[in-house]
Amino acid sequence: MTSTVQEYGIFIGGKWQKSEGKRFETRNPATGEILGTFPLATKDELNEAARAAKDAFDKWRRTPAPRRGELLLDAARIFRRKKEELGRIVTTEMGKVLAEGRGDVQEVIDFFEYVAGEGRRMFGETVPSELPNKMCLTVRMPVGPVGLITPWNFPMAIPGWKSGAALVAGCPIVLKPSSLTPLCAAKFVEVLDEAGFPPGVVNMLTGTGSVVGDGLVAHPDIRAISFTGGVETGRHVYETAARKMIKVGLELGGKNPIIAMDDADLELLMDGVMFGAFGTAGQRCTATSRLIVHQKIYDQVLDELTDRAEKLRVGNPIDERTEMGPVASAEQERKVLEYIEIGRKEADTLLTGGTKLRGGAFDKGFFIAPTVFAVERRKRLALEEIFGPVLSVLKAKDFEDAVAIANSVKYGLSSSIYTDDLRWAFRAMHELEAGITYVNAPTIGAEVQLPFGGIKETGPTGTREAGPTALDEFTYWKTIYVDYSGRLQRAQIDTDRLVRE
Ligand code: NDP
């Protein structure tokens, strides 16, 4: 019997190529269906891709930035035209519900449209000189060819954020997507190819983290790395990049809290918690994984939450009625179930869920019941990232106690407070240790025109994707002095004389 499964290649120098490497499959996590096979790119192919990016750099950096931006706008138009098709691919390969699959693609459209404008802005500064007939200014310069390493949970949006900023900045890219979502990456690159980026400006290699990912970070021709993934992988990437002394942007894990004060609008709170905790089956880096509740409303919140979680419609995410799909892989499922077991062993109170869903269509995929635990503050479920549909609820005495609990983890990505009291809201904005704070909204829902990133172990390099800060990862500042006085003027030395004369 001949196989109908499509075989994909790697994209180097503007061409799809066959690889010498072995192949791996990508599957639908809801049904087990094989969606395509992809190469495990080899070391030689990595060298070839890095060389293609290096060779393309000189011409690309000289391409006027507005023109680089126009190509992103062309790509945004294609994404818009193909949004439904691509959204379905995201859902089929990664398992998020269809509305979120479409949202993943929309995020690429939004960001490409936003960052394309940087091609016409990319502002530097003009600064007064301390000497006459002399001008000082700053300009952004592209760092060179860059490596982009991405996870599976936003399989189009994260490659979109990274590549949009790199490309408009003038940096050719080598993209290494997660091995769980190579199909989304291939479809993403097909659009960039159709938009007409010159050969070598966009390259993509599928393959293992150890060969392609690690090799990319260590490669001498790659001048910056933008990485999103887990903390331990990020630490390794950071160390390798440090040995090479290159720029590195890191967006790592999270353990994001919502604080519910006793004056919170409960209906609004519940809507936010359900979306924050169980949207994308809890597999967003900004997912709400801790709910810290004021003691006065604790019992009421637990009852309401249990009720809502039990009513959540779990199923095949391609069905529009489904509210939560499967987790993304067998490995994810194993990890999440392991945490549920830890919760049981540490005597946390399981309020609902806590099982793999079985029977009928559930048997084909990686479905876990929406799970809520009541947890004490020093337990592992209160401190460690789970990255699945598991919410830990903690009781706080008052505002100060809630903030202390919120800040007690090693992560610092997103945070939120529900309150109608301005004093609590403003104090939370200042006191929560996180890159993002929401007021009366869940921890998820970033918009592309604002900086995105974390502190502590979530964002050790302090970079921010999206927003006006997006270019920082891929550019350095050059300071330029133009002396048109026609004589030697000495800063700090001749200035003294000028004041006295
Ligand atoms: P991983 O850290 O396992 O993988 C991320 C990427 O790194 C993948 O492409 C992976 O390749 C690659 N990789 C693996 N090993 C290496 C290596 N030694 N050197 C270089 N690259 C390597 O994360 P996941 O894909 O499992 O994503 C989930 C994690 O990502 C969560 O912890 C989540 O919090 C975090 N995340 C953070 C976000 C943020 O903005 N802060 C946003 C989204 C996710 P391969 O797949 O082949 O192993």
Side-chain angles (χ1 to χ4, degrees):
M1 201 174 76
T2 52
S3 160
T4 53
V5 172
Q6 193 167 342
E7 292 189 355
Y8 291 83
I10 47 182
F11 191 73
I12 301 178
K15 289 199 192 77
W16 287 100
Q17 301 186 8
K18 285 205 162 137
S19 161
E20 297 295 315
K22 292 187 181 140
R23 304 192 70 79
F24 68 101
E25 300 162 349
T26 178
R27 287 173 185 264
N28 182 332
T31 64
E33 177 201 2
I34 299 176
L35 303 171
T37 73
F38 288 82
L40 293 168
T42 63
K43 201 91 191 154
D44 285 348
E45 288 157 353
L46 169 64
N47 287 335
E48 203 187 325
R51 200 174 326 114
K54 188 184 180 195
D55 291 348
F57 177 51
D58 202 41
K59 198 160 169 213
W60 186 238
R61 71 193 292 210
R62 289 171 203 276
T63 303
R67 176 67 195 128
R68 298 197 297 252
E70 278 164 30
L71 284 171
L72 286 173
L73 281 183
D74 290 346
R77 274 182 216 109
I78 302 168
F79 275 113
R80 206 176 272 287
R81 172 163 50 79
K82 294 187 165 177
K83 179 175 166 183
E84 184 60 26
E85 177 200 334
L86 296 176
R88 284 177 177 271
I89 289 172
V90 171
T91 289
T92 314
E93 190 180 35
M94 185 270 156
K96 59 177 73 179
V97 295
L98 199 45
E100 293 176 344
R102 294 182 186 118
D104 217 279
V105 183
Q106 186 61 44
E107 213 164 310
V108 183
I109 299 166
D110 292 345
F111 186 63
F112 275 17
E113 288 180 353
Y114 171 78
V115 88
E118 284 300 337
R120 289 194 182 271
R121 284 186 299 267
M122 221 172 283
F123 297 139
E125 291 183 313
T126 58
V127 182
S129 169
E130 62 187 47
L131 292 159
N133 295 322
K134 188 174 172 188
M135 186 180 182
C136 315
L137 55 143
T138 58
V139 290
R140 281 190 188 273
M141 307 292 277
V143 293
V146 297
L148 313 179
I149 304 177
T150 55
W152 43 263
N153 63 340
F154 281 86
M156 296 250 175
I158 295 179
W161 281 23
K162 292 187 190 301
S163 62
L167 290 169
V168 80
C171 302
I173 62 168
V174 180
L175 169 65
K176 178 337 203 181
S178 162
S179 298
L180 274 185
T181 50
L183 179 58
C184 288
K187 295 292 167 190
F188 176 83
V189 168
E190 279 176 12
V191 173
L192 297 195
D193 186 29
E194 191 181 335
F197 284 90
V201 169
V202 174
N203 306 278
M204 194 272 286
L205 298 173
T206 49
T208 62
S210 51
V211 173
V212 183
D214 218 11
L216 197 54
V217 184
H219 200 284
D221 292 338
I222 296 298
R223 301 315 306 157
I225 288 289
S226 181
F227 173 87
T228 299
V231 168
E232 286 321 312
T233 324
R235 194 185 308 280
H236 177 73
V237 166
Y238 201 7
E239 285 167 359
T240 311
R243 275 198 294 278
K244 229 176 89 183
M245 304 288 256
I246 59 165
K247 264 195 157 182
V248 54
L250 298 172
E251 291 295 343
L252 310 177
K255 185 75 183 169
N256 313 290
I258 286 182
I259 292 178
M261 291 302 291
D262 52 347
D263 65 338
D265 175 333
L266 275 193
E267 197 59 22
L268 187 67
L269 170 72
M270 283 306 146
D271 289 349
V273 172
M274 292 303 291
F275 184 45
F278 302 116
T280 322
Q283 302 164 113
R284 292 191 186 209
C285 47
T286 51
T288 305
S289 50
R290 291 180 294 157
L291 175 61
I292 304 168
V293 188
H294 192 288
Q295 55 181 348
K296 281 195 194 151
I297 56 166
Y298 181 75
D299 290 339
Q300 195 184 350
V301 165
L302 283 193
D303 287 349
E304 181 74 15
L305 197 56
T306 309
D307 188 47
R308 291 246 197 157
E310 279 166 5
K311 286 188 184 134
L312 208 65
R313 268 195 305 274
V314 182
N316 190 329
I318 207 77
D319 180 341
E320 300 268 10
R321 289 164 306 174
T322 297
E323 292 172 317
M324 192 181 96
V327 293
S329 66
E331 170 59 16
Q332 261 308 100
E333 184 183 79
R334 188 196 58 71
K335 205 180 117 196
V336 175
L337 292 174
E338 202 174 284
Y339 266 107
I340 289 172
E341 210 34 52
I342 289 169
R344 284 207 176 91
K345 280 200 187 119
E346 292 199 344
D348 299 324
T349 310
L350 178 64
L351 295 162
T352 183
T355 51
K356 176 175 166 55
L357 293 172
R358 293 183 198 279
F362 286 141
D363 287 342
K364 293 188 175 150
F366 309 117
F367 293 93
I368 296 177
T371 298
V372 182
F373 274 102
V375 175
E376 279 167 23
R377 61 189 73 194
R378 275 179 270 284
K379 299 289 188 65
R380 287 183 66 187
L381 259 51
L383 299 171
E384 296 176 22
E385 182 183 50
I386 301 173
F387 223 57
V390 180
L391 176 67
S392 302
V393 188
L394 296 108
K395 193 195 287 188
K397 286 199 284 291
D398 52 22
F399 174 81
E400 283 77 13
D401 191 35
V403 170
I405 296 171
N407 291 344
S408 66
V409 297
K410 64 180 185 179
Y411 302 104
L413 183 54
S414 189
S415 57
S416 150
I417 184 163
Y418 278 75
T419 181
D420 278 345
D421 189 326
L422 271 180
R423 288 170 305 168
W424 302 138
F426 274 89
R427 282 190 59 187
M429 288 176 223
H430 287 100
E431 292 174 29
L432 286 172
E433 294 171 359
I436 306 166
T437 295
Y438 291 88
V439 177
N440 291 332
T443 52
I444 65 178
E447 299 183 31
V448 302
Q449 67 279 20
L450 287 113
F452 178 92
I455 61 168
K456 297 160 98 174
E457 290 197 14
T458 301
T461 54
T463 45
R464 290 288 178 271
E465 296 194 280
T469 43
L471 296 177
D472 294 345
E473 276 188 85
F474 305 108
T475 55
Y476 63 91
W477 286 107
K478 174 171 275 189
T479 305
I480 298 174
Y481 298 95
V482 186
D483 190 324
Y484 49 97
S485 69
R487 61 194 170 92
L488 173 66
Q489 299 198 91
R490 298 171 300 174
Q492 293 94 39
I493 297 171
D494 295 338
T495 40
D496 219 23
R497 182 176 51 82
L498 282 173
V499 175
R500 279 186 274 105
E501 269 172 6

